[in-house]
Amino acid sequence: MRTILDHLDAVDPALFVVDVSAEIALLARIASVPAIGIRMHGNRGDAAHLAGYRACVGLLAPFDEALEQPETPDWIRAMTHYAGGLCTAQDVVPGKAEARAMLGLSPDREIVVVLTGGGGAGTPYAPLTMAARALPETDWLVLGPVQREGHETDFGNLHLRGWVATITAYIAAADVVVASSGDTIVHEIARVGRPYVCAPEWRYFDEQMRKGERLAELGAAILVSSWPGASTPWRGLLDAAKALDPAALASLHTPTAAASAANYLDRLATSLWTR
């Protein structure tokens, strides 16, 4: 806290953008530094989170207002600027055939891309072996880290690619994407517009599960609350995802979201200090 206060003294900011932390938002309020709180999903109606929101001069949601949780109080909604689906990816989205050619993948086989980022322990590997055994004519490409139990059986149609630089191409090459529900992943899938099976990772305050519930309610994804422990559900999950209206997920990505967020911060900083 002392280090943060010294830094705020040194730079004398017009605004302090606080990534979720209620404690830092309250510190900013005590220090008379106007703070913007970043909104995230989850069960955040406890006294500490609400105090952190109230301490801010505004709130920024890097997601579409359609993803807002229904129980969110009106005063929080009124404080929130919904920037839309914010995505860091900038590369051109190829067509499915082009993406497969780029990656050296079969033009004909069904391809499922399984994706997670670095925020957790990784995708559980054991359920994926069940999926690969259940659907041997499907290629399962796993991006990012995996979490092993140590007793899994490997299958020839289950490919661990690890960290890749061409995530947009992999998503574009897929028939279905199976992924967690972190903000970046959701919007990268929405940007490409592929059928989505949402498998939330454990997070504090049920952040990913609550977001997954909203995606399912909007018809943007098929939600699995836990990884299937048997081979039988996998075909049904993939077919259910393919049956969704792709426009429901695609509408959650906003190409201008970064500019919207930046303009909001700029306008607020200007208005606060020119009153």
Side-chain angles (χ1 to χ4, degrees):
M1 291 298 193
R2 177 74 265 162
T3 299
I4 293 171
L5 287 172
D6 287 344
H7 181 70
L8 293 174
D9 274 344
V11 301
D12 191 22
L15 283 178
F16 182 14
V17 180
V18 178
D19 189 2
V20 185
S21 173
E23 295 86 348
I24 302 301
L26 290 166
L27 175 70
R29 180 62 175 263
I30 292 168
S32 298
V33 177
I36 299 292
I38 301 295
R39 290 280 315 281
M40 296 183 76
H41 287 83
N43 300 316
R44 300 179 189 274
D46 56 280
H49 275 97
L50 296 180
Y53 293 150
R54 290 186 186 279
C56 292
V57 296
L59 302 170
L60 176 61
F63 51 81
D64 194 282
E65 189 172 4
L67 279 172
E68 183 63 89
Q69 293 171 205
E71 76 276 12
T72 300
D74 289 341
W75 66 268
I76 293 180
R77 295 172 185 257
M79 287 182 66
T80 300
H81 174 78
Y82 297 93
L86 187 62
C87 182
T88 57
Q90 300 288 326
D91 44 343
V92 175
V93 178
K96 183 184 291 185
E98 180 186 357
R100 292 188 177 197
M102 289 168 54
L103 298 170
L105 301 174
S106 168
D108 303 318
R109 283 175 63 87
E110 181 180 51
I111 292 177
V112 176
V113 168
V114 184
L115 170 63
T116 192
T123 302
Y125 186 58
L128 299 182
T129 65
M130 302 297 288
R133 183 173 73 173
L135 301 171
E137 301 305 315
T138 300
D139 284 330
W140 299 78
L141 309 181
V142 186
L143 311 185
V146 296
Q147 184 178 8
R148 291 181 177 268
E149 299 288 339
H151 48 68
E152 298 91 346
T153 299
D154 294 324
F155 289 87
N157 61 327
L158 179 57
H159 310 278
L160 304 184
R161 296 294 176 93
W163 294 105
V164 300
T166 54
I167 187 170
T168 298
Y170 274 95
I171 295 173
D175 292 296
V176 178
V177 178
V178 180
S180 56
S181 49
D183 275 326
T184 301
I185 285 178
V186 168
H187 296 137
E188 285 181 333
I189 301 169
R191 176 174 177 260
V192 179
R194 285 292 178 267
Y196 177 19
V197 174
C198 177
E201 294 183 86
W202 185 91
R203 290 291 186 274
Y204 289 102
F205 309 107
D206 282 338
E207 169 199 322
Q208 288 208 7
M209 180 58 68
R210 296 305 311 275
K211 183 159 47 190
E213 290 170 353
R214 286 299 298 142
L215 288 165
E217 289 161 0
L218 294 170
I222 297 298
L223 175 65
V224 290
S225 56
S226 61
W227 287 90
S231 59
T232 51
W234 281 105
R235 181 74 271 165
L237 288 173
L238 300 188
D239 289 344
K242 290 179 181 179
L244 294 173
D245 180 359
L249 178 60
S251 67
L252 300 178
H253 168 247
T254 310
T256 58
S260 175
N263 289 335
Y264 168 68
L265 297 176
D266 187 62
R267 290 195 309 269
L268 193 55
T270 302
S271 64
L272 285 170
W273 294 101
T274 57
R275 288 176 183 173

